[in-house]
Amino acid sequence: MLSAREIWIDEKARRAGYESGAALASSHDLKGYRIEQLYRAATRELLDGLDDVTTLPKELRAALAAEGFTLDSVEPVVVQRSRDGQTSKGLFRLHDGNEVEAVLMEHHGERNTVCISSQAGCAYACTFCATGQAGFTRNLTATEIFDQARYFAKELARDGRKITNVVFMGQGEPFANFEAVMGAVALLNDPKGFGLGHRHITISTVGLVDKIDRFADERTQVNLAISLHAPTDATRSTIMPVNRKFSTAELMAAVARYIAKTNRKVFFEYVMLAGVNDSDAHARDLARLMKGPLYHVNLIPYNSTPDALLSDSDDERIWAFAKILEQLGTAVTVRTPMGRDIAAACGQLRAETQPRAKAS
Ligand code: SAH
């Protein structure tokens, strides 16, 4: 496996027309410490652009810039801020014109969570998800994923703040782009670079069983979230086509293997859809799937999307559903929506769980 620094320089070099980081280095007669300076400038010092890397000779900066070498592989197109100022949504353009979204959620200065995209579009076509409705375009590279976080990290750094959490809940299915996502995790985590602890990173999957096994074997401390959204095949297959490939039972078996191997908590996301998955019976079926303290359900108020013929469960239904789960011994939180006014949704996703928003 390549180091974070190697992943970074190889990708930046390829964008500038070289075969690899080594080819770029030999063309400019760059020593290892020069590459290190570039990498640190981008990932640790969070400098804005190549011109700010003043440890590098001016001519070298000019020569690299002339070849199209940049510290950023995503370019902000529009950044909107919610009225309460807690949520910022960025639309980013990739070199080929594709666009992806990332969202920063500031939890009253306690935590700053960035939600990032791993693919342009998504192939999984979940009926409630705006990205799923739009279809798949392509995988992002590790630095295209990382640079979304870098953008918001630079913004926060202006007033001495930092990103505290990163969630892969933006556009795309992270496990369908496994290598690049693990590369992005390495970039986020590198103690000599960005330096975000694994425990502050969460990957959310639609439920790709083979990849859950592979992820367990990675032995990282990165958190796993499962987009479950229904407790039975009958219901799940109507809203998540992936369920026809990996049944709910196969998915839950993979989760059990993951927990046996890692002893880590798993978060189950459950978007509350009126009349679809929100009955008392659904709550009881769901509770039966949750096998102990390492199973945690996150109920998510649905954000309506342009094409979907679905509606949101009202608050009363959500809390009644939560109450049933709790009475049956299942750990449950209700996610607080953020940035509704700017549809701060990577495919209409919502803010992260409030840590102790316990149902009562
Ligand atoms: N493909 C991955 C990552 C995408 S994030 C996955 O499926 O997990 C998916 C999450 O975004 C869902 O679990 C849900 O929490 C949220 N989400 C998607 N569409 C939503 C909508 N219309 N309203 C509310 N949350 C939504």
Side-chain angles (χ1 to χ4, degrees):
M1 174 107 185
L2 293 179
S3 71
R5 185 180 112 174
E6 287 163 332
I7 293 171
W8 188 88
I9 192 63
D10 274 351
E11 271 195 45
K12 298 294 179 192
R14 276 200 286 272
R15 277 276 84 239
Y18 291 93
E19 225 161 72
S20 64
L24 173 123
S26 79
S27 155
H28 289 280
D29 200 16
L30 291 185
K31 304 278 183 294
Y33 76 94
R34 287 292 186 208
I35 305 277
E36 183 70 27
Q37 283 170 334
L38 275 169
Y39 171 73
R40 279 180 64 94
T43 62
R44 186 163 195 89
E45 293 154 20
L46 299 171
L47 299 186
D48 204 34
L50 193 52
D51 240 13
D52 302 303
V53 191
T54 49
T55 46
L56 253 52
K58 209 170 174 171
E59 314 75 66
L60 177 58
R61 279 181 268 151
L64 288 172
E67 288 169 356
F69 186 101
T70 56
L71 300 189
D72 292 288
S73 47
V74 302
E75 189 198 329
V77 185
V78 223
V79 181
Q80 289 172 280
R81 217 172 159 88
S82 64
R83 270 189 295 277
D84 65 7
Q86 296 275 308
T87 308
S88 310
K89 177 170 77 164
L91 182 68
F92 297 93
R93 187 167 298 141
L94 311 175
H95 69 87
D96 59 2
N98 278 302
E99 289 176 348
V100 295
E101 288 171 21
V103 180
L104 169 68
M105 291 158 282
E106 300 170 51
H107 301 268
H108 308 282
E110 282 166 38
R111 283 176 304 143
N112 298 308
T113 301
V114 176
C115 169
I116 56 181
S117 296
S118 57
Q119 300 181 312
C122 183
Y124 289 86
C126 299
T127 57
F128 51 83
C129 175
T131 309
Q133 288 156 15
F136 175 70
T137 310
R138 74 162 168 92
N139 280 331
L140 302 193
T141 67
T143 59
E144 284 170 338
I145 299 169
F146 171 77
D147 285 345
Q148 297 166 52
R150 177 177 132 81
Y151 172 81
F152 286 111
K154 278 194 302 187
E155 292 291 300
L156 289 170
R158 285 186 220 284
D159 36 38
R161 295 182 303 143
K162 282 185 162 181
I163 289 177
T164 59
N165 298 79
V166 169
V167 298
F168 285 81
M169 294 186 186
Q171 291 167 8
E173 168 49 38
F175 280 175
N177 186 16
F178 199 91
E179 303 281 343
V181 164
M182 290 308 153
V185 167
L187 282 164
L188 291 166
N189 182 241
D190 186 1
K192 293 201 180 114
F194 198 75
L196 184 69
H198 274 167
R199 286 166 180 274
H200 298 269
I201 301 172
T202 299
I203 297 180
S204 176
T205 177
V206 78
L208 305 186
V209 163
D210 49 335
K211 300 296 171 39
I212 294 170
D213 286 326
R214 192 167 159 198
F215 182 63
D217 291 333
E218 296 272 324
R219 300 273 166 191
T220 74
Q221 305 282 313
V222 173
N223 300 299
L224 177 64
I226 305 281
S227 286
L228 188 60
H229 308 310
T232 61
D233 287 332
T235 305
R236 196 162 187 267
S237 291
T238 64
I239 51 176
M240 300 182 73
V242 70
N243 195 70
R244 290 180 216 133
K245 179 156 189 214
F246 299 113
S247 71
T248 310
E250 287 172 89
L251 172 56
M252 295 310 296
V255 169
R257 289 193 294 277
Y258 169 86
I259 288 178
K261 236 177 225 164
T262 64
N263 199 37
R264 291 189 58 76
K265 190 182 271 190
V266 174
F267 300 88
F268 294 89
E269 295 157 274
Y270 199 102
V271 172
M272 295 293 285
L273 302 166
V276 175
N277 64 358
D278 68 346
S279 72
D280 289 359
H282 286 122
R284 288 191 295 270
D285 286 339
L286 179 58
R288 263 193 293 279
L289 297 181
M290 301 295 117
K291 304 284 184 204
L294 296 178
Y295 291 71
H296 187 110
V297 174
N298 217 321
L299 300 179
I300 301 158
Y302 169 63
N303 237 357
S304 69
T305 63
D307 306 347
L309 300 165
L310 297 158
S311 45
D312 54 326
S313 311
D314 56 34
D315 284 356
E316 214 180 307
R317 180 83 296 255
I318 296 176
W319 290 104
F321 194 94
K323 182 124 197 165
I324 295 172
L325 289 173
E326 222 181 28
Q327 280 164 351
L328 294 170
T330 296
V332 55
T333 42
V334 177
R335 191 180 286 183
T336 307
M338 284 181 80
R340 254 189 171 164
D341 54 322
I342 54 167
C346 319
Q348 295 288 344
L349 114 152
R350 299 301 185 75
E352 243 210 324
T353 324
Q354 292 287 2
R356 269 167 282 281
K358 275 291 258 177
S360 56

